[in-house]
């Protein structure tokens, strides 16, 4: 029987399917499995089911001579040395599609919340500082007639764009090759360079994977391009934004606000951010519904079972 290491408790319906097909070694701790324990426990395993909080580096992969597949319960795989895994003939899989709609909904929750100052208003209310309704009190900004700039038009970027007409927004996007003439046209959406998108958008929403090319894509220079009335939304990966530069830009009011679900050094966040009223901060929740997290875990298990049965994985990371 094949053996599988699972680094965190998964929904029981999903785990029982794995138990039926393989010997399961489940790390039952509440926090991420310590690196030395991960290396020790993966040593005799055929498959590894892990989370985005588990760094799967060369040392882990080298500790596991029998490993055939690493199944990440996440769409982003920046926690895994994918190139090295591939060079060792190990499949790496992720969980696309099953989380697209829930992340797109959540992105809109952030867009609406930050432009209408929901968390700022709630904080004030909880501090007991509300003095009552006033015509000019805590005014937000409307979305209708404005431009949503999508950075990265993959599945999630498209799903976010698809919801824009409901709120009366037009959509611009930048994607590999957009604005250079080489990107295929997307009906109704306006391709442009990142620079132009930053200069013209009222809301900029990030949907790129974290790679060496997208690390600090939104740096000081990019932030100074944005309209002073614009908002930045990040549900992608923290290091796509230079957090220090963002804290500075928010302090200088170079943009109207930001809503962040992800951070450069999770779970730590830049110490200036919680002190600022013009930023909405949530703890990496975009795919966090019971339905979606269960579907993500189930897909990871399907990938493991396919590889262990000698078939191709359903959703390989390419
Ligand atoms: C969540 O951040 C994911 O990559 O699935």
């Amino acid at each position: 029987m094949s053996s599988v290491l699972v680094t965190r408790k998964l929904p029981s319906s999903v785990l029982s399917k794995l138990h039926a097909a393989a010997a399961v070694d489940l790390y039952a701790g509440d926090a991420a499995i310590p690196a030395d324990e991960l290396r020790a426990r993966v040593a005799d395993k055929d498959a590894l089911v892990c989370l985005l909080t588990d760094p799967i580096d060369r040392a882990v992969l080298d500790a596991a001579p029998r490993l055939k597949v690493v199944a990440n319960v996440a769409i982003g795989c920046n926690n895994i040395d994918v190139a090295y895994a591939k060079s060792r003939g190990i499949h790496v899989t992720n969980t696309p599609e099953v989380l697209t709609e829930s992340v797109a909904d959540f992105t809109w929750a952030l867009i609406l919340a930050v432009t209408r100052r929901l968390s700022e208003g709630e904080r004030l209310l909880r501090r007991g500082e509300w003095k009552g309704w006033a015509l000019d009190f805590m005014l937000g900004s409307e979305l209708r007639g404005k431009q949503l700039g999508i950075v990265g038009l993959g599945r999630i970027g498209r799903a976010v764009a698809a919801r824009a007409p409901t709120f009366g927004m037009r959509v611009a996007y930048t994607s590999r090759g957009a604005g250079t003439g080489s990107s295929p046209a997307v009906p109704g959406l306006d391709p442009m360079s990142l620079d132009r998108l930053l200069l013209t958008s009222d809301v900029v929403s990030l949907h790129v994977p974290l790679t060496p090319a997208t690390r600090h894509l939104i740096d000081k220079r990019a932030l100074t391009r944005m309209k002073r009335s614009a908002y930045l939304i990040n549900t992608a990966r923290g290091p796509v934004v230079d957090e220090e530069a963002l804290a500075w830009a928010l302090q200088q009011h170079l943009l109207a606000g930001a809503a962040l679900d992800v951070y450069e050094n999770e779970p730590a966040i830049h110490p200036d951010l919680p002190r600022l009223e013009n930023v909405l901060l949530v703890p990496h929740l975009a795919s966090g519904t019971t339905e979606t997290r269960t579907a993500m875990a189930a897909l990871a298990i399907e990938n493991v079972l396919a590889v262990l049965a000698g078939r191709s994985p359903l959703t390989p990371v390419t």
Side-chain angles (χ1 to χ4, degrees):
M1 201 181 219
S2 302
S3 60
V4 183
L5 175 63
V6 180
T7 63
R8 192 78 69 95
K9 209 169 169 313
L10 303 179
S12 51
S13 58
V14 174
L15 267 183
S16 53
K17 193 156 185 202
L18 189 60
H19 275 293
V24 179
D25 177 9
L26 174 67
Y27 179 74
D30 285 335
I33 183 169
D36 50 350
E37 185 158 357
L38 173 57
R39 286 195 299 274
R41 283 170 73 162
V42 80
D44 59 350
K45 301 300 186 301
D46 302 290
L48 171 63
V49 179
C50 58
L51 305 185
L52 61 88
T53 43
D54 301 318
I56 310 299
D57 53 15
R58 276 176 187 240
V60 173
L61 297 166
D62 281 343
R66 283 172 43 179
L67 202 60
K68 297 186 186 66
V69 55
V70 177
N72 214 28
V73 187
I75 188 167
C77 280
N78 50 289
N79 57 312
I80 302 172
D81 190 336
V82 178
Y84 188 64
K86 285 201 174 156
S87 76
R88 289 260 328 273
I90 300 169
H91 294 282
V92 177
T93 68
N94 66 346
T95 60
E97 286 171 18
V98 291
L99 48 59
T100 303
E101 303 303 326
S102 109
V103 174
D105 288 347
F106 194 84
T107 303
W108 276 97
L110 293 187
I111 294 172
L112 289 162
V114 73
T115 55
R116 300 302 298 272
R117 305 174 69 174
L118 292 196
S119 63
E120 204 182 332
E122 198 200 8
R123 282 195 297 274
L124 173 133
L125 195 78
R126 285 177 186 262
R127 287 196 303 266
E129 289 173 10
W130 189 33
K131 302 210 167 45
W133 193 90
L135 193 64
D136 59 353
F137 174 63
M138 213 177 246
L139 302 184
S141 168
E142 299 228 353
L143 298 175
R144 219 172 319 282
K146 297 199 178 147
Q147 177 173 302
L148 170 64
I150 303 268
V151 179
L153 198 72
R155 292 183 192 87
I156 296 172
R158 280 169 203 264
V160 172
R163 286 152 172 78
T166 305
F167 299 100
M169 294 191 86
R170 64 181 181 281
V171 181
Y173 71 96
T174 184
S175 206
R176 265 168 300 208
T180 64
S182 60
S183 146
V186 177
L189 308 190
D190 206 1
M192 51 180 73
S193 67
L194 178 60
D195 245 24
R196 186 155 175 67
L197 179 138
L198 292 169
L199 283 166
T200 57
S201 294
D202 301 289
V203 176
V204 174
S205 191
L206 307 176
H207 301 288
V208 287
L210 175 61
T211 67
T214 62
R215 182 174 294 274
H216 286 192
L217 183 68
I218 305 300
D219 57 7
K220 198 167 182 174
R221 185 182 162 279
L223 290 162
T224 57
R225 292 269 183 287
M226 290 180 69
K227 294 185 183 182
R228 280 187 177 258
S229 56
Y231 297 83
L232 178 70
I233 316 293
N234 190 6
T235 54
R237 280 290 181 269
V240 174
V241 177
D242 178 342
E243 214 166 275
E244 169 96 39
L246 177 61
W248 167 81
L250 287 166
Q251 269 158 353
Q252 305 298 314
H253 297 279
L254 297 186
L255 62 164
L260 307 177
D261 185 41
V262 287
Y263 304 88
E264 273 203 83
N265 299 300
E266 294 177 13
I269 63 176
H270 191 286
D272 289 348
L273 290 176
R275 293 199 269 268
L276 298 173
E277 287 295 349
N278 53 352
V279 62
L280 186 157
L281 305 167
V282 285
H284 206 148
L285 296 175
S287 66
T289 64
T290 306
E291 295 88 339
T292 293
R293 290 283 167 84
T294 304
M296 289 164 67
L299 179 53
I301 298 308
E302 289 303 327
N303 276 309
V304 165
L305 296 181
V307 172
L308 293 181
R311 299 192 305 272
S312 301
L314 284 74
T315 50
V317 175
T318 50

